Amino acid sequence: MDVMKLMMSDYNVETINDGLNEFNVEFYGPKESLYEGGVWKIRVELPDAYPYKSPSIRFVNKIFHPNVDETSGSVCLDVINQSWSPMFDLLNIFEVFLPQLLLYPNPSDPLNGDAASLMMKDQKQYDQQVKEFCERYAKKENITKATSDEETDDDEDVTDEETRSSDDEIAGYADR
C-alpha cells in the first residue's frame, strides 16, 4: 500500500525485479539548500517485516554529506535506522526525513568523516564541495547513467580520465 501511495504521488518510482520490495525513487534536493537543483536516485529495500521494520535507504549516485556513506550511499538517519515506527510511511521518508537530513546535516554522527571534518573546520569549503558534487553527480543524466551501469555493467563509454579516480565511481557501484 505504501509503495502504491508513493507511486501515485509526484515521485518517479522504478521497481526492481518486478517486485514491490526493492525499488528506486527519484529524489530532488530541497529548495533553499546546498542540494537544491540536485537529483538523486534513492534505492529503497523493504524488509519482509515492513512496516514494523524500517526500510533500507541509500543514495545510488554520489552525494557529499556527513551522514551519507560516500562508498555505499547508506544513510545515517536516526528515525529510519533506530526510531522507526509503523506509523511512518514511505512518503514521510521522501517528504520529511531525507529533506531534513540534507537541510540539517549532523557532523557529530558521521558516516563520511571527510565531509563532517570539512563542515566543522571550513564551512565555505564544505559548501563548495557539496555544490561541486551536485553539479558533477546529481543531474538527471547521472541517475539515468546509474541505471544503465547497474543493468549492463558496460564500461565501454568510460574514458581514461573517468577511470583515474575512485571519486568518479557512482556510490553503490562497488557493492556488487
Side-chain angles (χ1 to χ4, degrees), residues 14-168:
E14 170 192 344
T15 59
I16 298 171
N17 300 328
D18 296 325
L20 293 179
N21 285 354
E22 191 176 354
F23 50 92
N24 294 319
V25 179
E26 208 170 279
F27 174 73
Y28 291 83
K31 290 186 182 337
E32 299 179 18
S33 77
L34 294 172
Y35 301 94
E36 183 174 13
V39 59
W40 289 268
K41 181 183 288 192
I42 306 295
R43 171 71 53 92
V44 179
E45 295 177 25
L46 301 178
D48 291 337
Y50 181 83
Y52 301 102
K53 189 168 188 275
S54 67
S56 171
I57 306 291
R58 71 178 177 88
F59 285 80
V60 175
N61 48 325
K62 288 182 84 126
I63 185 169
F64 191 74
H65 191 285
N67 310 114
V68 179
D69 184 270
E70 189 174 2
T71 306
S72 70
S74 295
V75 175
C76 175
L77 198 54
D78 183 53
V79 175
I80 292 177
N81 296 328
Q82 289 150 13
S83 305
W84 179 260
S85 159
M87 302 268 303
F88 299 130
D89 65 16
L90 294 171
L91 277 174
N92 289 120
I93 290 171
F94 291 96
E95 293 181 353
V96 179
F97 303 147
L98 286 178
Q100 291 292 314
L101 177 78
L102 297 187
L103 287 165
Y104 307 106
N106 180 5
S108 61
D109 185 23
L111 279 177
N112 181 336
D114 292 341
S117 176
L118 188 59
M119 183 181 186
M120 291 189 289
K121 291 179 182 167
D122 188 345
Q123 183 70 45
K124 189 175 178 180
Q125 183 66 35
Y126 169 81
D127 292 355
Q128 183 178 340
Q129 185 78 359
V130 167
K131 289 176 183 174
E132 284 178 20
F133 265 61
C134 286
E135 195 59 42
R136 192 171 189 181
Y137 303 109
K139 297 296 176 204
K140 189 85 165 169
E141 58 268 19
N142 296 115
I143 64 169
T144 304
K145 182 182 181 322
T147 301
S148 64
D149 283 352
E150 285 176 354
E151 291 171 358
T152 65
D153 254 1
D154 187 2
D155 290 333
E156 290 176 23
D157 295 333
V158 177
T159 65
D160 288 341
E161 182 177 291
E162 289 175 323
T163 60
R164 285 192 195 125
S165 169
S166 63
D167 287 344
D168 288 328

